[in-house]
């Protein structure tokens, strides 16, 4: 979902949080917006490819461009912790 679509859905109060996820392939950070039912909407480019941001600060800035949404940062080791 491109940034403009995320802004529209945020204004409709469709998101409960933004989750910042570490992308192991690009060593960057992905931004995913979460709906109350748990549906996940990653921020993508116009071709539908998930965007990866160089730093955690850049990813947080993207969330703030969309709106004042609570941010959760996924642990880098969350799969090993289960």
């Amino acid at each position: 979902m491109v940034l403009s679509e995320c802004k529209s859905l945020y204004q409709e109060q469709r998101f409960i949080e933004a989750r910042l996820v570490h992308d192991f392939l690009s060593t960057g950070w992905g931004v995913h917006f979460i709906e109350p039912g748990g549906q996940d909407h990653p921020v993508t480019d116009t071709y539908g490819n998930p965007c990866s941001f160089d730093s955690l600060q850049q990813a947080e800035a993207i969330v703030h461009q969309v709106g004042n949404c609570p941010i959760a940062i996924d642990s880098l080791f969350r799969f090993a912790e289960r």
Side-chain angles (χ1 to χ4, degrees):
M1 166 174 310
V2 295
L3 204 54
S4 61
E5 292 172 326
C6 292
K7 288 178 184 180
S8 301
L9 290 176
Y10 178 78
Q11 290 174 350
E12 294 174 10
Q13 299 178 345
R14 298 262 312 264
F15 298 137
I16 57 171
E17 76 173 352
R19 186 168 297 143
L20 306 182
V21 181
H22 188 256
D23 181 4
F24 292 103
L25 296 177
S26 69
T27 66
W29 291 89
V31 177
H32 297 251
F33 288 96
I34 311 298
E35 288 189 5
Q39 189 171 2
D40 186 340
H41 298 282
V43 174
T44 64
D45 61 13
T46 56
Y47 297 108
N49 299 319
C51 294
S52 182
F53 303 96
D54 293 333
S55 69
L56 191 55
Q57 291 78 18
Q58 284 181 336
E60 288 174 339
I62 292 297
V63 173
H64 293 304
Q65 284 182 15
V66 171
N68 189 19
C69 193
I71 298 174
I73 300 172
D74 273 2
S75 168
L76 297 178
F77 305 104
R78 69 184 173 102
F79 298 110
E81 292 171 350
R82 292 184 182 180

